[in-house]
Amino acid sequence: MTSPFGPREDGWHFGVDFGWPGGSAGLAVYACQGGTVVRAGPARGFGQWVVIDHPDADGSGTTVYGHVRPNVVPGQRVEAGQAIAVIEPDRARNGGVAPHVHLEWHRSVLSPPGPDVLDPLPQLDGAAYPCTEGDVLTEFGIDISNHQGEFDFARAAAEGMTYATHKICEGTWQDPQWSRAREQMPAHFQYWGGYVYCRLGTHPDAEADALASYADTTIPIQIDYEDLTGTASLADLLARVDAITARGFALLPIYLPRWYWRDNMGSPDLSGLPVPIWNSHYVTGISTPARLYPGDAYPGWNPMGGKDIAILQFSSTAAIGGELVDVNAIRGGRAQLDRLFRKKPDMQLTDIVINKDGNPVTLADLLASLDMHASWVVDQLAGPDSRRQPGPGLDPTGWPQLDGKSVVDSVASAHDKIDAVTTTLGLVQDKIQVILESLDADSYVGRHRAQKPE
């Protein structure tokens, strides 16, 4: 807790600020209770915020989460402990202080500052820390094909899906919806890719050639291995892995249902696969992913063949984007998404770097130090307090000892004077040279000098 509820120098603080030393840029923010998102986006004084209304069944009241970047939308149902935002990394949107989350608890509906805005700490007394529950770090995503037609990826992202894949090929057959999906997915998802449904009757090289002719190698590929029309084997799966990676593609986890691995492949050792497994183990019912998800202790997460399960497809009837589709879970939050989708994570202000003295400092502190020293340099060159000008132009204040000029202008003025002196010296040198030449040519030189006495 970096600032409690109650009085402080700038007035009464109608909330509690939470953050880590040095700032908490990019860290996840979780819902205190279940409820419906009523506000999400820009808000005066907060940069952006999320506001959740909690019905009586969830505990009642309204919570406000300020200085965040939302990943939920108004009208969306969220559950207690669900990730709803990340902490805003821009200090300018955090009141000029280190990135943090500002939490408010309103007695019933969203209220102006006053007696209906309560101290959140008593309300949180006894609450579990989200990370101990596991499910709160779960991200949901979809895998789509031509069967969904022109799927609404924008709506799926707005409903909280954070990753997506779409079929590219099935054997040598190329999905006609792939080109549209290739344009739509990166517009709405940071994490996305394509998949190949392997046909056992298609040679691995022919399958990989069909992929390479229809997709570029920047796209991470999910191998979907579950065909029932031929003889499956670990050797065949490895041949398809080799064929696809030989053409320059990086792999997502391999979709290999446990039942297929057991009943159709004979439960082989999978430890030699280059990536983890994407398993399927379905629950029943039709609902949103958050309501269908069976939790981190669900048997579908159990390792198989010596490999961990990185992605779990837990339903084929999740209501997403106006359709019933396959839904998948990834545990570990955005860091795990970065690893699985081969993304290089953006540098955060809280990241540790080594400064010129060899000492570890946060990136935020290093940038602050650079800004301070740059300001000093500006003042030394342009005059006192020149650094305080908003820019991008600069009107130097000048130094009194330099006749009100900046260092640069003073040097330029001195340079002009030096040029004038140099020109005058050149003229004098020319005259001296003329005199010397005249003395050498005069035959009477020295006749009129006084003679030394003998």
Side-chain angles (χ1 to χ4, degrees):
M1 184 174 63
T2 58
S3 182
F5 182 91
R8 62 183 188 184
E9 292 182 0
D10 59 349
W12 193 273
H13 188 215
F14 284 95
V16 175
D17 293 343
F18 295 99
W20 292 102
S24 301
L27 295 184
V29 176
Y30 305 99
C32 296
Q33 290 184 163
T36 301
V37 178
V38 293
R39 307 279 178 86
R44 187 173 65 180
F46 285 136
Q48 295 192 79
W49 69 354
V50 172
V51 181
I52 302 175
D53 177 70
H54 307 288
D56 289 344
D58 289 288
S60 75
T62 296
T63 48
V64 174
Y65 310 79
H67 309 307
V68 301
R69 290 186 178 179
N71 56 26
V72 293
V73 295
Q76 180 178 339
R77 166 75 192 187
V78 297
E79 304 302 329
Q82 181 177 334
I84 57 172
V86 296
I87 292 178
E88 171 62 60
D90 185 353
R91 286 182 178 232
R93 294 173 177 266
N94 295 326
V97 299
H100 65 281
V101 61
H102 168 95
L103 174 67
E104 294 179 6
W105 202 296
H106 297 233
R107 190 187 307 275
S108 53
V109 297
L110 186 64
S111 305
D116 286 327
V117 183
L118 310 175
D119 185 349
L121 289 186
Q123 312 294 328
L124 294 176
D125 187 35
Y129 183 69
C131 291
T132 65
E133 297 178 353
D135 295 359
V136 297
L137 290 179
T138 302
E139 301 281 350
F140 299 125
I142 52 177
D143 58 281
I144 304 298
S145 73
N146 58 296
H147 297 297
Q148 283 74 44
E150 294 188 352
F151 183 75
D152 193 343
F153 289 102
R155 182 173 172 182
E159 291 174 0
M161 301 302 99
T162 55
Y163 55 98
T165 61
H166 193 286
K167 183 191 291 183
I168 302 174
C169 298
E170 184 172 327
T172 58
W173 178 81
Q174 296 173 326
D175 191 319
Q177 290 293 335
W178 166 248
S179 296
R180 176 184 177 273
R182 174 68 177 82
E183 294 179 355
Q184 290 283 311
M185 287 190 293
H188 302 291
F189 295 94
Q190 181 181 357
Y191 307 98
W192 60 278
Y195 73 88
V196 176
Y197 186 97
C198 299
R199 283 297 182 185
L200 298 177
T202 302
H203 192 278
D205 285 327
E207 194 169 70
D209 286 339
L211 168 65
S213 68
Y214 202 37
D216 62 87
T217 56
T218 62
I219 299 164
I221 299 300
Q222 165 200 353
I223 293 177
D224 185 342
Y225 199 74
E226 54 176 325
D227 185 21
L228 295 174
T229 61
T231 303
S233 68
L234 179 60
D236 180 71
L237 174 56
L238 289 172
R240 296 177 192 280
V241 168
D242 291 342
I244 290 173
T245 56
R247 284 155 180 80
F249 290 95
L251 296 182
L252 293 169
I254 294 172
Y255 183 84
L256 179 62
R258 190 185 305 273
W259 62 265
Y260 187 85
W261 165 74
R262 180 189 63 236
D263 300 339
N264 293 70
M265 298 177 67
S267 304
D269 181 5
L270 301 175
S271 59
L273 292 177
V275 291
I277 301 300
W278 188 326
N279 184 30
S280 68
H281 193 147
Y282 293 162
V283 297
T284 59
I286 298 173
S287 189
T288 62
R291 290 184 179 274
L292 289 173
Y293 181 58
D296 289 357
Y298 190 58
W301 285 112
N302 295 338
M304 54 188 273
K307 295 293 281 189
D308 288 333
I309 307 301
I311 304 179
L312 175 64
Q313 187 174 101
F314 59 91
S315 174
S316 60
T317 55
I320 305 168
E323 301 189 43
L324 299 182
V325 300
D326 294 340
V327 65
N328 309 277
I330 288 178
R331 299 179 298 181
R334 297 303 174 94
Q336 178 72 335
L337 281 168
D338 284 335
R339 287 189 288 270
L340 296 179
F341 282 82
R342 311 300 179 92
K343 298 284 187 182
K344 293 183 178 179
D346 295 333
M347 182 170 281
Q348 303 293 327
L349 293 176
T350 52
D351 288 347
I352 301 297
V353 294
I354 304 301
N355 67 9
K356 65 179 181 63
D357 299 321
N359 298 320
V361 297
T362 65
L363 182 60
D365 289 339
L366 179 62
L367 291 174
S369 177
L370 290 173
D371 180 67
M372 177 182 66
H373 284 88
S375 297
W376 289 346
V377 171
V378 169
D379 275 4
Q380 287 297 311
L381 292 175
D385 291 329
S386 292
R387 70 183 186 277
R388 301 188 185 280
Q389 297 181 32
L394 179 65
D395 183 17
T397 60
W399 288 97
Q401 58 267 49
L402 297 177
D403 297 328
K405 298 183 178 68
S406 69
V407 171
V408 174
D409 290 339
S410 181
V411 170
S413 176
H415 188 271
D416 292 340
K417 292 178 181 179
I418 292 171
D419 284 345
V421 171
T422 301
T423 300
T424 301
L425 290 175
L427 295 174
V428 171
Q429 184 179 19
D430 290 343
K431 292 180 179 180
I432 292 174
Q433 185 64 34
V434 170
I435 292 171
L436 291 175
E437 291 175 355
S438 176
L439 290 175
D440 290 341
D442 190 346
S443 59
Y444 292 96
V445 169
R447 289 187 176 185
H448 301 289
R449 294 178 181 170
Q451 299 295 313
K452 293 183 180 179
E454 293 183 358

